[in-house]
Amino acid sequence: MVKLLQQIITGISIGGIYALLAVGYALIFSIFQFTNFAFGGILMGSAFAGYFATTTLGMDAIPATFVAVCAGVILSILVELTAYRPLRKRSSSRLFLMISAMGVNILLVNLATVTFGGNIRSLPADMRMDAIKLGSVQMGVLDLIALIGSAVILIALWGYLYKSRQGIAIRAVANDTNTARLMGINVNKVSLTVFVISGILTGMAGMFFGLKYTVYPTMGIISNKAFIASVIGGLGSLPGAVLGGLILGVLETLIAGFVSSVYRDLFSFGIMIIVLMFMPNGLLGKSNDKL
Amino acid sequence: MGYALTVIVFICVNIVAATGLSLLTGFTGLFSLGHAGFMAIGGYTSAIMAMHLGIPYVPAVILGGAAAVIISVVIGYPSIKNRLRGDYFAICMLGFVEIVRLVISNITHPWVNGSLGLTGIPKLTNVWTALIICIIMVFFMRNFIKSHYGQNCKAIQQQDVAAEMMGISIVKTRLISLMISAFYCGVAGSVMTFYTAFISPLSFQAPQSQNLVADVVIGGVNSITGPIIAAAILTALPEMLRFLISWRYVIYGLLLVVLIIFRPEGIMGYKEFSIGGFIGFFKKTYRVAVRLFKKLFGKNSKTADKKGGKV
């Protein structure tokens, strides 16, 4: 019983990070309807920024997170301006956007391998901090911070999207890009905003992953979990992405804790395929209703 | 010389796989990110057949393709029947390739040997068999595209609702094209395995599938010759860039982005490569060049005259 509770708590804290990533992914999907494969590269880039901020510049965790977020935003904007916008200007097929994203990912991963080397690095041990005891269950301070940080960011994002003028513009573009453009919304500005938000989320997630696990050039593979989470929640749906991330995190830790950690990834991909086949719109996605 | 032959064999393998995927992605319009999974299934099946059951080369290769077809029906029928398309189908196939890789890594039976992979597979493929198989497969694909079924595939890619109204069964046609593309990838995987004499789950990770998609999209959807040319170039490119050592994949990624931005319809677009077209292209460029040369020459002579006159 204690073990079950422990696993669920760990799962929720991992699920919070998955939710961050999945929301960044779902936001772009809901507007442009394409899978941003460059996501993994941006995640890796911001984790490396956080790593160098702590080791080379000797920063604390919080300023380092800020550096990682900045790196995520800069990379995200660069990718949008160089690889996606020229394609969208010509309104070419989404297939080409996907290929372009794949090219960017190959570029970023190999650039990191060439410049930083393929070694696995870990952030300084004192940043992982201790665990707090809550009765018989314990929770890492890092997990708690990651969970609270994710929750704060997601609530702020919700407020921005649903309560501010720019948020309404973003939702309008997601609903129907052409009509929104006719209504006088600057679609290019909106898309830049969306990529900035996605960069912030990815940067946070990259820093948390770097703190919790390790930093290495191909760590972007973790972003596959974001695809899975947003498929479970419904592609393009933001509440669905949060829910999917939490469900995936909890299920994964339960499988790893009670069955075997070898089958963890097998299980998550399996659940994704089953959801896709029998509930293609996921838990919260509706076929024509986005965000 | 051996090195060049190896590159040629890999080009043949990638041409076979890219031709298969071009039927699914280019002609039928289903985007797949998991065709390396079919290559893995084909490779493992034919390797086990040849090593433990003593089956000769050609039947082993065909059985490798057949195994990929069976798995493609298992994964493809429910997803196609539920009308998964676009990114949904692509992500479904991405999950499929990861599952294949993880399942193979966790089977510790000595015939499969888990994540360590199989060694000591008989080296049955040589350059000539690879070339012959490649030519035969491409020829069959050309005939298939020209046939009634191939035209159905194109109709579905262009306008699926209209195609269904005309009495084309979408599920059936999509499933057939998935099965054929799986067969092509299975054969490609088998041929490759019999050449490298080694197979491990690590050879079939996501980048392998992405390279296949890149072949098809860069070559041009709705063209067979385009993906063939693209497969040849993109297989040879990292080898040609080898002097750059570790920078070559950085440049490869960069070239992919630049190519897709500046020539989004692919190398061939909707056209096919043909000898007549090739000669026509040269005639055209020759004519343009002659005209350009005359213009330049004429201008030069005029300016020279003017200068001469002034002096």
Side-chain angles (χ1 to χ4, degrees), chain A residues 25 29 33-35 37 82-83 86-87 90 92 94-96 98-100 102-104 106-107 110-111 114-115 224 227 231 235 262-263 265-266 269-270 272-273 276-278 280-281, chain B residues 25 31 33 74-75 78-79 82 84 86-88 90-92 94-96 98-99 102-103 106 210-211 213-214 217 221 246-247 249-254 256-257 260-262 264-265:
Chain A
Y25 167 75
F29 189 90
Q33 271 99 53
F34 85 101
T35 303
F37 282 108
T82 53
L87 281 173
R90 265 196 308 251
S92 34
R94 293 186 290 133
L95 216 71
F96 298 140
M98 251 167 142
I99 298 284
S100 188
M102 260 157 49
V104 169
I106 296 173
L107 177 73
N110 288 294
L111 200 61
V114 171
T115 43
N224 276 350
F227 303 159
V231 163
L235 269 184
V262 173
Y263 293 108
D265 286 358
L266 194 66
F269 281 109
M272 177 184 82
I273 286 188
L276 269 179
M277 279 175 181
F278 299 105
N281 292 319
Chain B
T25 301
F31 190 59
L33 283 171
V74 172
I75 179 89
S79 48
N82 283 309
L84 290 190
D87 293 46
Y88 289 84
I91 293 175
C92 189
L94 183 79
F96 158 74
E98 288 298 316
I99 286 178
L102 288 165
V103 166
N106 287 311
Q210 293 180 357
N211 286 347
V213 175
V217 175
V221 289
S246 43
W247 282 92
Y249 277 103
V250 179
I251 291 167
Y252 176 73
L254 196 66
L256 211 58
V257 177
I260 216 77
I261 286 176
F262 290 106
E265 71 273 24

Side-chain angles (χ1 to χ4, degrees), chain A:
Chain A
M1 192 58 214
V2 173
K3 194 185 173 191
L4 181 71
L5 208 62
Q6 178 70 58
Q7 295 289 349
I8 288 175
I9 286 181
T10 318
I12 288 174
S13 73
I14 294 174
I17 312 179
Y18 286 165
L20 273 184
L21 267 181
V23 167
Y25 167 75
L27 199 60
I28 289 177
F29 189 90
S30 70
I31 292 190
F32 306 113
Q33 271 99 53
F34 85 101
T35 303
N36 185 6
F37 282 108
F39 220 61
I42 295 169
L43 177 82
M44 179 269 303
S46 45
F48 263 103
Y51 170 78
F52 284 120
T54 47
T55 51
T56 319
L57 303 177
M59 286 182 182
D60 283 334
I62 291 165
T65 311
F66 186 70
V67 170
V69 167
C70 285
V73 170
I74 291 168
L75 273 176
S76 192
I77 290 175
L78 272 181
V79 170
E80 145 74 358
L81 290 183
T82 53
Y84 300 152
R85 186 165 289 184
L87 281 173
R88 266 190 290 114
K89 240 179 211 163
R90 265 196 308 251
S91 59
S92 34
S93 150
R94 293 186 290 133
L95 216 71
F96 298 140
L97 281 166
M98 251 167 142
I99 298 284
S100 188
M102 260 157 49
V104 169
N105 198 31
I106 296 173
L107 177 73
L108 287 176
V109 168
N110 288 294
L111 200 61
T113 317
V114 171
T115 43
F116 309 135
N119 303 343
I120 289 178
R121 299 142 194 261
S122 54
L123 284 126
D126 57 305
M127 299 191 78
R128 290 169 196 230
M129 295 174 260
D130 321 305
I132 346 171
K133 278 214 161 210
L134 298 159
S136 51
V137 208
Q138 52 179 340
M139 190 177 192
V141 173
L142 179 66
D143 287 348
L144 195 67
I145 291 174
L147 186 60
I148 293 171
S150 310
V152 166
I153 285 274
L154 291 176
I155 290 169
L157 180 64
W158 179 83
Y160 177 72
L161 282 178
Y162 286 82
K163 302 291 170 200
S164 75
R165 273 177 73 83
Q166 286 94 340
I168 294 170
I170 291 175
R171 277 159 54 219
V173 173
N175 214 1
D176 189 334
T177 313
N178 288 329
T179 314
R181 188 178 281 134
L182 288 175
M183 293 292 154
I185 293 172
N186 186 344
V187 175
N188 276 341
K189 206 173 136 195
V190 166
S191 65
L192 206 59
T193 320
V194 164
F195 273 94
V196 168
I197 296 173
S198 150
I200 294 173
L201 296 170
T202 325
M204 286 279 280
M207 188 65 195
F208 287 147
F209 274 122
L211 281 171
K212 200 164 166 56
Y213 306 113
T214 46
V215 181
Y216 52 96
T218 50
M219 70 182 284
I221 298 269
I222 301 170
S223 63
N224 276 350
K225 297 283 163 64
F227 303 159
I228 301 175
S230 65
V231 163
I232 293 174
L235 269 184
S237 153
L238 297 193
V242 176
L243 190 67
L246 290 175
I247 290 176
L248 185 69
V250 171
L251 284 178
E252 268 196 350
T253 33
L254 287 181
I255 290 286
F258 290 102
V259 185
S260 158
S261 60
V262 173
Y263 293 108
R264 193 184 62 196
D265 286 358
L266 194 66
F267 174 80
S268 17
F269 281 109
I271 208 170
M272 177 184 82
I273 286 188
I274 290 167
V275 166
L276 269 179
M277 279 175 181
F278 299 105
M279 279 167 73
N281 292 319
L283 292 174
L284 295 182
K286 289 171 209 145
S287 46
N288 280 319
D289 191 23
K290 289 164 206 145
L291 278 183

Side-chain angles (χ1 to χ4, degrees), chain B residues 1 3 6 8 22 26-27 45 65 97 116-117 126 128 131 135 138 141 166 192 214 235 242 245 251 273-274:
Chain B
M1 196 59 203
Y3 173 65
T6 308
I8 290 173
S22 81
F27 289 95
T45 311
V97 69
L116 294 174
N126 58 37
W128 301 113
L131 274 173
I135 289 166
V138 170
M141 183 57 81
M166 302 301 283
M192 191 175 84
T235 313
R242 204 170 266 278
I245 317 167
I251 291 167
F273 178 83
S274 65

